[in-house]
Amino acid sequence: GDYDKLDREHCMLKVPDQNQKPVHGKSFNREKHVLDHEWEPKPRRFTVVGVDTSGLNPAATFFQEELGVGHVLTTELYGKDLSIYQFADLIEMLTTDTPAEKGGKGYYDKANMILVCDPADTKNQGTLLTPVEVFKQRGFMAICAESNVIDIRLNAMRKLLEAVEPPLRLYISSHCQMVIDGLESKHVFKRIPNTTEYYVKPNKNSIYSHYIDSAEYAALYISSNANTREILSDIPAIPAPKVRYL
């Protein structure tokens, strides 16, 4: 009877995994951050691309500026087992430089983009080129993120997530599901065995770490330059987009 119903409801409760805790779980909120639709990128908008280039699984997240609104995370990109050269090809396919007949999407304009890369910027053993140098060879404006110190990176991301007004206010396109899941619960601090404490560095043995690391590199640039970068005066502001309410 009532006891059976109570038991069933109790068994269906979602119990947090006590062996880990989300890195950005306290700052991220689906109702606040996730749009109720897929956002269409606009080539004329200034775009900050965070790029994680560690190992053979590079990732990138694209943040597009909307005047009077803030920044919209418009695209997430992952290159499983890809070299930085192959990954650069993928990014280039999203730009207006690649003709539509060759598969170009035309979402972004190189002249209005900056790629903010992993500060390690490790040279390729074969070509002796770093990821930043590879991107520059392709005509991208590319720099290293200003820091790889964990606390500085995490605080930059939290600054965007906790902002309530432009230019730092952050929205996320509904289709960027890996970033959404990573921010909400999948990118974690692991608990130190046999203790109640957690490691101070996020778990790197997860696909989500690549996405979120790239987003943090972009966040470093955005939070440092949001009030100083010259804005193109001919781009009109738009109304604030609606977020998803669950």
Side-chain angles (χ1 to χ4, degrees):
D2 291 340
Y3 287 107
D4 291 337
K5 179 182 179 182
L6 182 62
D7 186 54
R8 287 197 303 273
E9 290 177 349
H10 178 74
C11 290
M12 293 173 66
L13 290 176
K14 188 175 180 180
V15 180
D17 185 350
Q18 299 301 315
N19 290 317
Q20 60 188 35
K21 66 177 181 180
V23 174
H24 295 293
K26 291 184 178 180
S27 301
F28 174 79
N29 185 302
R30 279 183 182 257
E31 292 185 359
K32 175 184 176 184
H33 296 110
V34 181
L35 298 174
D36 63 358
H37 60 282
E38 183 174 336
W39 188 267
E40 183 179 350
K42 303 172 183 65
R44 289 298 307 278
R45 297 292 195 264
F46 183 71
T47 305
V48 179
V49 185
V51 186
D52 176 46
T53 56
S54 56
L56 282 177
N57 299 301
T61 43
F62 295 64
F63 292 72
Q64 202 158 70
E65 184 175 35
E66 291 290 355
L67 300 187
V69 174
H71 284 78
V72 182
L73 201 162
T74 54
T75 301
E76 59 182 23
L77 196 62
Y78 181 70
K80 182 174 174 57
D81 297 328
L82 294 187
S83 71
I84 193 61
Y85 299 94
Q86 294 169 312
F87 195 61
D89 290 338
L90 283 184
I91 295 178
E92 199 152 32
M93 291 290 287
L94 301 181
T95 71
T96 55
D97 280 43
T98 304
E101 58 268 23
K102 293 186 177 181
K105 302 299 183 183
Y107 294 153
Y108 305 100
D109 188 337
K110 283 184 180 179
N112 292 319
M113 296 173 69
I114 184 167
L115 276 57
V116 185
C117 302
D118 186 337
D121 204 29
T122 307
K123 289 185 177 182
N124 179 280
Q125 293 301 310
T127 64
L128 298 181
L129 293 177
T130 69
V132 166
E133 290 168 338
V134 171
F135 288 128
K136 285 182 176 180
Q137 281 191 343
R138 303 295 183 91
F140 289 102
M141 178 163 47
I143 61 172
C144 288
E146 64 184 57
S147 177
N148 215 4
V149 176
I150 294 298
D151 286 347
I152 295 176
R153 276 173 40 195
L154 300 188
N155 287 336
M157 192 73 228
R158 289 165 185 160
K159 190 173 181 179
L160 266 61
L161 290 170
E162 294 172 9
V164 295
E165 295 181 353
L168 296 183
R169 175 72 160 91
L170 177 64
Y171 298 91
I172 303 174
S173 179
S174 61
H175 75 292
C176 294
Q177 198 59 53
M178 294 299 288
V179 171
I180 294 168
D181 289 346
L183 290 172
E184 185 173 57
S185 62
K186 301 297 187 181
H187 184 52
V188 300
F189 295 112
K190 288 288 190 180
R191 193 171 72 173
I192 302 172
N194 304 315
T195 74
T196 58
E197 302 296 321
Y198 294 85
Y199 291 106
V200 296
K201 293 184 178 181
N203 176 38
K204 299 290 288 184
N205 298 321
S206 163
I207 187 174
Y208 296 98
S209 69
H210 299 292
Y211 287 97
I212 305 305
D213 282 359
S214 73
E216 289 168 357
Y217 296 139
L220 279 166
Y221 180 89
I222 293 169
S223 61
S224 296
N225 294 276
N227 296 316
T228 60
R229 197 185 63 78
E230 183 178 350
I231 304 297
L232 294 177
S233 59
D234 62 334
I235 300 178
I238 63 168
K242 294 180 180 179
V243 296
R244 173 187 296 156
Y245 290 93
L246 299 180

